[in-house]
Amino acid sequence: MDQSVPSRAVVIGAGIAGLVAARVLSERVDEVVIVERDAIDDDTATQPGVPQAMHVHLLLQRGYRELTSLFPGLDGRLAAAGAPALDLLRDGVWITRAGEAPRVPSRLRTRSASRGLYESVIRDLTLERPNVRLLDGHDAVALVGDAAAVRGVALRRRPSRASGTALTGTTPDHHATAAGEPQGETSQLDAWLVVDASGRASKAPAHLAGIGAPVPTESVIDASLRYATRLYRLPAVPRDWKVLLVRDRPPVGTRGGVVSEIEGGRWVVTLGGAGEDQPPTDDDGFVAFARDLVSPRLFDAIRDAEVLSPIHGWARTANRWRHAERIRAWPAGFTLFGDSLCALNPVYGQGMSVAAMEGGVLGRWLDASAVGRDRRSATPPATGPLIDALSRTARLPWFLATGEDARIEG
Ligand SMILES: Cc1cc2nc3c(=O)[nH]c(=O)nc-3n(C[C@H](O)[C@H](O)[C@H](O)COP(=O)(O)OP(=O)(O)OC[C@H]3O[C@@H](n4cnc5c(N)ncnc54)[C@H](O)[C@@H]3O)c2cc1C
């Protein structure tokens, strides 16, 4: 007789990293529950948990390749929603103080969309898996377990979603409170594996401390880059490019900007600058900043274009690595994933691609024989090797981003 118990994985966070993890897990465990603090609606761009969704999100070729292989149907749905196909060298104008890069056909293919569209299509594809459920409107407020092993997550239903989503398999615990959190209705979700994909502001360090486990040290390299972003209507006049990027010469000049064609016949225009030279979020300041870029091409493109949105600023761009890989006594049954493990300065456009690559790492680790054997036992798996493998994947993107930013950091 089969003595095994159904395996459940809990993923904290329904951002791109969490959805990638859930997709990979869904093929290998019996049940996946994604816990997301925001109430998910059809307009991801307005979700409070992902305010960064307003800003330009270029998906590099590697990330596009990984994501389209993880999510069959992704490219077709992005295309159907109007996201243009992009050859980054042929369709991109890349300008620095040294001049303009040659425009040549390349294999650097991707599709250009808003962050909201990438995320909503990936979420739909993930939730089409029969064994994946989304528990939105719930905060993961603590880990359940001890320093040796994580065995679940304590959740608190957000007040704005009083009705909540009914979930079988939770243990109602109306008396429990999580350290540092306001009192609320809480419950516990048991899990064989807990994946923290709750982003760069992850509470994992506090949650680990809460169960007496070691807390990772952090490396932070902050170039103090700020973004300001606005949407425009794609002008009717034809042009021979889909993305235009202007960058000065850091560390002397950190000012830059990008115009990217996205679904809905729109341009997302993001300006960036570091230190004292930050892009303004008022109309006149935004335009003046664009006019003073190292090339007039961006200003010329947007000067007569129709404005479609207010200007949104963004300031959290530091590179931050939580060094889980340095902890030898890491608790079993728990891992950091995506930005929660290693968040990168977004200006290098690597975050979604790294999250997608980490999906492959997670799959290979789950398929490793020892982990595979444990999967239907009550024993949480040793996650140290997974953390090591994820860290190896993040190391090169980290080096590329921080190598540049260390020259700018004040
Ligand atoms: C301004 C900006 C521009 C960027 N541009 C690019 C780009 O051009 N190209 C690129 O590849 N990447 C870019 N990135 C990075 C990219 O967005 C991320 O690296 C990638 O999406 C992975 O993020 P994530 O899923 O780990 O975290 P997030 O996207 O932050 O998602 C975390 C999720 O967890 C939820 N959550 C948080 N705490 C809890 C909790 N306690 N309980 C339940 N849920 C919780 C949040 O609500 C959120 O939905 C950019 C980032 C920023 C900030």
Side-chain angles (χ1 to χ4, degrees):
M1 200 177 91
D2 183 8
Q3 296 292 315
S4 62
V5 292
S7 54
R8 178 197 281 156
V10 171
V11 177
I12 305 172
I16 288 179
L19 295 168
V20 163
R23 173 70 179 83
V24 169
L25 284 159
S26 71
E27 288 184 338
R28 294 160 172 98
V29 300
D30 297 309
E31 182 191 8
V32 182
V33 181
I34 309 171
V35 178
E36 168 56 49
R37 70 179 170 199
D38 286 342
I40 302 282
D41 54 31
D42 290 338
D43 185 5
T44 315
T46 61
Q47 248 179 265
V50 277
Q52 67 268 37
M54 309 291 178
H55 303 277
V56 71
H57 268 68
L58 279 180
L59 179 60
L60 300 180
Q61 185 255 357
R62 176 67 190 269
Y64 172 71
R65 213 175 65 211
E66 297 280 343
L67 286 174
T68 48
S69 129
L70 269 173
F71 296 95
L74 174 64
D75 189 65
R77 291 200 197 183
L78 289 174
L86 191 63
D87 174 333
L88 285 165
L89 293 189
R90 189 197 57 206
D91 303 326
V93 177
W94 305 87
I95 303 171
T96 70
R97 198 172 272 278
E100 192 175 321
R103 306 268 305 280
V104 289
S106 75
R107 287 187 300 170
L108 300 181
R109 302 288 173 83
T110 184
R111 210 170 265 285
S112 179
S114 67
R115 157 69 185 267
L117 180 62
Y118 288 129
E119 197 159 281
S120 66
V121 172
I122 289 174
R123 188 171 58 235
D124 288 349
L125 288 165
T126 305
L127 295 178
E128 283 168 19
R129 306 280 303 168
N131 59 342
V132 178
R133 283 185 290 162
L134 174 67
L135 191 60
D136 62 337
H138 283 72
D139 246 317
V141 292
L143 294 173
V144 176
D146 53 34
V150 170
R151 296 176 187 279
V153 180
L155 310 176
R156 194 185 64 234
R157 191 177 293 176
R158 290 218 141 191
S160 57
R161 205 176 165 88
S163 61
T165 309
L167 185 78
T168 52
T170 57
T171 313
D173 176 9
H174 300 280
H175 306 291
T177 54
E181 301 285 348
Q183 198 117 14
E185 188 182 356
T186 63
S187 57
Q188 179 177 316
L189 195 51
D190 299 332
W192 172 76
L193 176 69
V194 175
V195 176
D196 183 310
S198 62
R200 61 168 57 230
S202 168
K203 299 269 177 21
H207 293 169
L208 284 164
I211 56 167
V215 174
T217 55
E218 295 186 1
S219 294
V220 179
I221 295 181
D222 189 358
S224 302
L225 182 82
R226 303 288 182 268
Y227 273 15
T229 295
R230 162 167 262 184
L231 295 175
Y232 289 83
R233 191 178 308 287
L234 187 69
V237 282
R239 75 204 60 74
D240 68 349
W241 53 267
K242 294 177 189 164
V243 61
L244 178 128
L245 190 136
V246 180
R247 191 132 196 251
D248 203 333
R249 192 185 49 177
V252 182
T254 61
R255 200 173 266 223
V258 56
V259 180
S260 182
E261 185 179 328
I262 57 169
E263 78 280 1
R266 296 174 299 167
W267 269 342
V268 54
V269 178
T270 294
L271 304 177
E276 301 293 300
D277 196 20
Q278 300 181 359
T281 50
D282 63 283
D283 288 358
D284 292 345
F286 187 86
V287 171
F289 191 94
R291 194 172 40 230
D292 290 346
L293 292 173
V294 73
S295 154
R297 289 286 296 273
L298 190 149
F299 173 71
D300 289 344
I302 64 168
R303 63 194 301 175
D304 296 321
E306 181 189 348
V307 164
L308 293 180
S309 80
I311 301 165
H312 298 278
W314 181 262
R316 268 176 283 150
T317 60
N319 302 282
R320 179 181 303 276
W321 186 311
R322 298 193 173 95
H323 290 292
E325 84 287 0
R326 291 184 183 164
I327 298 176
R328 284 302 108 203
W330 184 259
F334 182 63
T335 190
L336 308 181
F337 199 83
D339 283 12
S340 169
L341 176 69
C342 176
L344 300 164
N345 183 344
V347 77
Y348 306 109
Q350 302 185 98
M352 295 189 293
S353 297
V354 174
M357 289 162 67
E358 289 180 2
V361 173
L362 177 62
R364 286 189 289 280
W365 172 76
L366 284 163
D367 293 341
S369 54
V371 180
R373 267 199 311 277
D374 285 351
R375 224 178 287 167
R376 286 180 69 93
S377 83
T379 315
T383 34
L386 172 61
I387 298 268
D388 288 345
L390 293 172
S391 301
R392 278 195 298 278
T393 299
R395 200 171 293 151
L396 180 59
W398 169 265
F399 174 79
L400 293 173
T402 58
E404 271 292 290
D405 285 357
R407 301 191 305 139
I408 302 170
E409 195 179 35

